[in-house]
Amino acid sequence: MSAADTKTLIAQAVNRLHDEVPALRSLQLVIRLELHTHGRDVPIWRVEVPGPKVDRDPAADSRIDVSVARPRFNELAAEGTIEDWARAYERGEVKVSGDRAVVTLLGNVIQRRRARV
């Protein structure tokens, strides 16, 4: 998959999550996204929201880090709902770290949305 295709897929995933959890639209945040593959080189993407603005960059200014295997990310980005992302997180397929306050805030917003649905 080309870098342009990956950028489009990342933007699609962000937009889908924003559609399901509108409260996330107003959040200003830089995310470091690691898409693990079988090789040694781990592609790192800088995702800035709102937007999203997606670049292949080490994202030194990120507040949170999200790490996921590339095949699983492709599935979640293409068709995943917030419930799918939450289950993947609970199973350890998606790892989130970084600023504890931001991680907690995101978790609370997503849990409230899941409870309403």
Side-chain angles (χ1 to χ4, degrees), residues 70-111:
R70 179 57 188 255
R72 185 64 175 133
F73 175 79
N74 291 349
E75 293 169 7
L76 290 168
E79 300 175 10
T81 64
I82 194 68
E83 195 62 36
D84 297 327
W85 281 94
R87 279 194 301 264
Y89 174 79
E90 291 164 356
R91 288 191 299 253
E93 297 169 348
V94 174
K95 295 176 178 64
V96 179
S97 61
D99 185 325
R100 188 174 183 91
V102 175
V103 173
T104 301
L105 172 69
L106 289 173
N108 288 340
V109 169
I110 290 169
Q111 287 298 348

Side-chain angles (χ1 to χ4, degrees), residues 3 5 13 15 29 49 52 55-56 59 66 73 76 79:
D5 292 339
N15 289 328
L29 182 65
V49 292
D55 295 302
R56 182 121 189 231
V66 177
F73 175 79
L76 290 168
E79 300 175 10

Side-chain angles (χ1 to χ4, degrees), residues 9-75:
L9 194 59
I10 292 169
Q12 179 183 346
V14 170
N15 289 328
R16 177 175 278 118
L17 293 174
H18 281 168
D19 289 344
E20 282 194 72
V21 187
L24 295 178
R25 284 190 189 276
S26 61
L27 185 65
Q28 293 184 342
L29 182 65
V30 174
I31 302 158
R32 181 178 189 262
L33 175 63
E34 295 180 359
L35 298 177
H36 295 274
T37 60
H38 294 293
R40 291 183 184 184
D41 183 33
V42 176
I44 299 172
W45 294 86
R46 181 183 186 276
V47 182
E48 183 176 350
V49 292
K53 182 178 176 188
V54 180
D55 295 302
R56 182 121 189 231
D57 182 84
D61 59 339
S62 68
R63 299 283 301 275
I64 65 169
D65 299 334
V66 177
S67 178
V68 61
R70 179 57 188 255
R72 185 64 175 133
F73 175 79
N74 291 349
E75 293 169 7

